[in-house]
Amino acid sequence: MSETINSLEELANVKTVEVEAPVYVQKLDKYGRAYATGKRKDAVARVWIKPGNGKVTINGRDYQKYFARPVLQMVLRQPTEAAERKDQYDIVATVSGGGLSGQAGAVRHGISKALTYFEPELRAVLKKGGFLTRDSRVVERKKYGRAKARKSFQFSKR
């Protein structure tokens, strides 16, 4: 934009460049699976999805056995239900680190990313649901001179 515009007539003659939305392409491995990594707190989940009948396996066990709490099972099902692909994909995940809640969040994040790699047109639905955003909240570190991260030792005047 090296030229300066001095009047409205010149402004009307300026051509605008239309920016197109980025085109997302399908990312599959040689076995026809989509792979993604999901993270939450200290947990890291590696997730593979492929067409199937809806079987979800986590660390070699069924997800209902691995995540016994119904709330954690619901968290895992959220992305596929939002995308209306409930029984269309087999999901295999390996997860490590953190606790069960963080692991469930990490697997949910990984499933969402893998779904967008397998079907790029699902990105808008999953993005609107907030499933593609990495929850960056982590535990605050302990400071010296403190009982925990922020808690102080009891004060005594004498």
Side-chain angles (χ1 to χ4, degrees), residues 21-66:
V23 178
Y24 295 99
V25 294
Q26 191 179 42
K27 297 179 187 174
L28 301 178
D29 62 6
K30 63 182 179 180
Y31 302 109
R33 303 175 301 185
Y35 168 78
T37 304
K39 295 181 181 180
R40 170 86 169 89
K41 293 187 179 179
D42 275 340
V44 179
R46 302 181 314 164
V47 179
W48 291 268
I49 67 166
K50 63 180 180 180
N53 55 6
K55 185 177 180 192
V56 180
T57 308
I58 297 169
N59 289 353
R61 292 164 37 190
D62 185 51
Y63 83 102
Q64 292 173 336
K65 293 249 195 283
Y66 193 85

Side-chain angles (χ1 to χ4, degrees), residues 17 20 28 52 54 79 85 88 94 108 122 126-128 151:
V17 179
E20 294 181 16
L28 301 178
R85 304 284 191 274
Q88 296 183 15
T94 58
R108 179 180 87 160
L122 293 177
L126 295 170
K127 184 93 170 155
K128 187 177 179 193
K151 183 180 179 185

Side-chain angles (χ1 to χ4, degrees), residues 146-158:
R146 298 241 170 209
K148 295 180 3 184
R150 296 187 179 196
K151 183 180 179 185
S152 301
F153 295 112
Q154 183 173 346
F155 176 75
S156 172
K157 193 169 184 180
R158 295 178 220 277

Side-chain angles (χ1 to χ4, degrees), residues 49-110:
I49 67 166
K50 63 180 180 180
N53 55 6
K55 185 177 180 192
V56 180
T57 308
I58 297 169
N59 289 353
R61 292 164 37 190
D62 185 51
Y63 83 102
Q64 292 173 336
K65 293 249 195 283
Y66 193 85
F67 295 115
R69 280 186 266 162
V71 173
L72 300 180
Q73 295 174 16
M74 179 203 62
V75 166
L76 248 63
R77 291 191 303 262
Q78 282 177 336
T80 52
E81 288 175 356
E84 298 174 357
R85 304 284 191 274
K86 189 170 179 185
D87 294 326
Q88 296 183 15
Y89 294 108
D90 286 342
I91 300 168
V92 178
T94 58
V95 63
S96 62
L100 286 178
S101 176
Q103 288 185 352
V107 173
R108 179 180 87 160
H109 185 227

Side-chain angles (χ1 to χ4, degrees), residues 40-42 136-143 149:
R40 170 86 169 89
K41 293 187 179 179
D42 275 340
S136 60
R137 296 176 295 169
V138 292
V139 178
E140 190 175 346
R141 77 172 190 87
K142 183 194 177 302
K143 277 73 170 192

